[in-house]
Amino acid sequence: MEPVNKQQRRPWVVGVSGASGTPYAAAVLRGLLAAGESVDLVVSRASRLTLLDETGIAFRDAHWREDLEAWLARGADGKPDAFDVRADDVRYWPAGDLAAGPSSGSYPVKGMLIVPASTAAVAGVALGLSKDLLQRVASVTLKERRPLVVAVRETPLSGQTLKHMVALDEAGAVVLPASPAFYAGATHIQDLVDFVAGRVLDAAGVPHELYRRWEGELGGALQAD
């Protein structure tokens, strides 16, 4: 019997659904990598269309690392090469691969972050449909009692979606609407994106410096400027 690997890789699974908001996903991925975390990435079929529309980047299975690094280098304002990011500790799983590692509860992960989460993804996870790998991993995350953060990006919300969100909350997930705040002194679109990404990482317990935290001082952000 081979010895147990005490340094076994335990990534965060990041699922990207088809909702608008690919800059949120990029910011979360950059934050995880900056914190030294490993990442398993699942990009839904619908999210590829959104990514192409919002960034001009075509995410290809055969060239996923090249496309991912181009995406992560892009600022929320669309400027290329705004960030210098290496995706060396990222493993990519196609959304149609239901035999992928994270589809099993025995595959070691820390938890899952769905950023952004479409209402279709919210419904699929709440109902336990497992129609693709993203939904399957989320279902596994819940049944294994691991952290699941669902960053919902939609407005307005229908009554049915609200019911699905309540079901996710009752199942143990953190339902985190992609709602940027302004007390942190945002002066750029990237600041607003980073605030939401930072709140996602907060919910996962991952340290970061993506936004200025509230310190109980009115006008503190203005004074800091």
Side-chain angles (χ1 to χ4, degrees):
M1 180 180 295
E2 295 183 359
V4 175
N5 180 7
K6 296 182 179 180
Q7 299 299 320
Q8 188 176 46
R9 182 177 179 272
R10 292 188 65 235
W12 284 95
V13 180
V14 175
V16 186
S17 80
S20 176
T22 54
Y24 291 130
V28 166
L29 288 165
R30 287 192 296 265
L32 288 170
L33 295 174
E37 298 286 347
S38 301
V39 174
D40 275 23
L41 177 64
V42 180
V43 178
S44 76
R45 290 187 176 93
S47 69
R48 294 174 187 239
L49 297 177
T50 307
L51 183 63
L52 180 63
D53 182 58
E54 294 184 346
T55 70
I57 296 172
F59 197 89
R60 303 160 294 175
D61 285 348
H63 303 280
W64 69 266
R65 192 178 300 277
E66 173 187 343
D67 297 335
L68 174 61
E69 290 185 347
W71 175 25
L72 297 186
R74 199 176 193 86
D77 59 1
K79 293 181 180 178
D81 303 320
F83 300 94
D84 183 13
V85 183
R86 294 282 299 177
D88 295 329
D89 201 4
V90 177
R91 187 172 185 180
Y92 168 69
W93 301 96
D97 185 5
L98 293 178
S103 67
S104 170
S106 66
Y107 184 84
V109 304
K110 292 184 176 181
M112 184 181 191
L113 316 175
I114 305 179
V115 188
S118 65
T119 55
V122 168
V125 176
L127 297 173
L129 298 182
S130 296
K131 294 180 67 174
D132 62 7
L133 183 60
L134 188 152
Q135 293 182 15
R136 170 59 186 170
V137 177
S139 295
V140 169
T141 302
L142 289 175
K143 80 179 182 69
E144 296 293 330
R145 303 296 191 267
R146 294 167 179 160
L148 173 63
V149 182
V150 182
V152 184
R153 216 309 305 161
E154 185 60 270
T155 191
L157 296 169
S158 70
Q160 197 60 48
T161 297
L162 291 170
K163 292 176 182 177
H164 291 151
M165 292 165 64
V166 170
L168 288 177
D169 176 78
E170 291 176 343
V174 174
V175 179
L176 194 153
S179 302
F182 295 84
Y183 63 76
T187 58
H188 192 277
I189 185 174
Q190 189 67 56
D191 298 328
L192 298 175
V193 168
D194 285 347
F195 179 88
V196 172
R199 296 299 287 153
V200 171
L201 296 177
D202 286 345
V206 176
H208 67 87
E209 296 182 356
L210 287 176
Y211 69 88
R212 177 188 177 276
R213 297 183 181 278
W214 175 252
E215 297 178 349
E217 182 181 1
L218 293 177
L222 297 176
Q223 295 176 23
D225 294 338

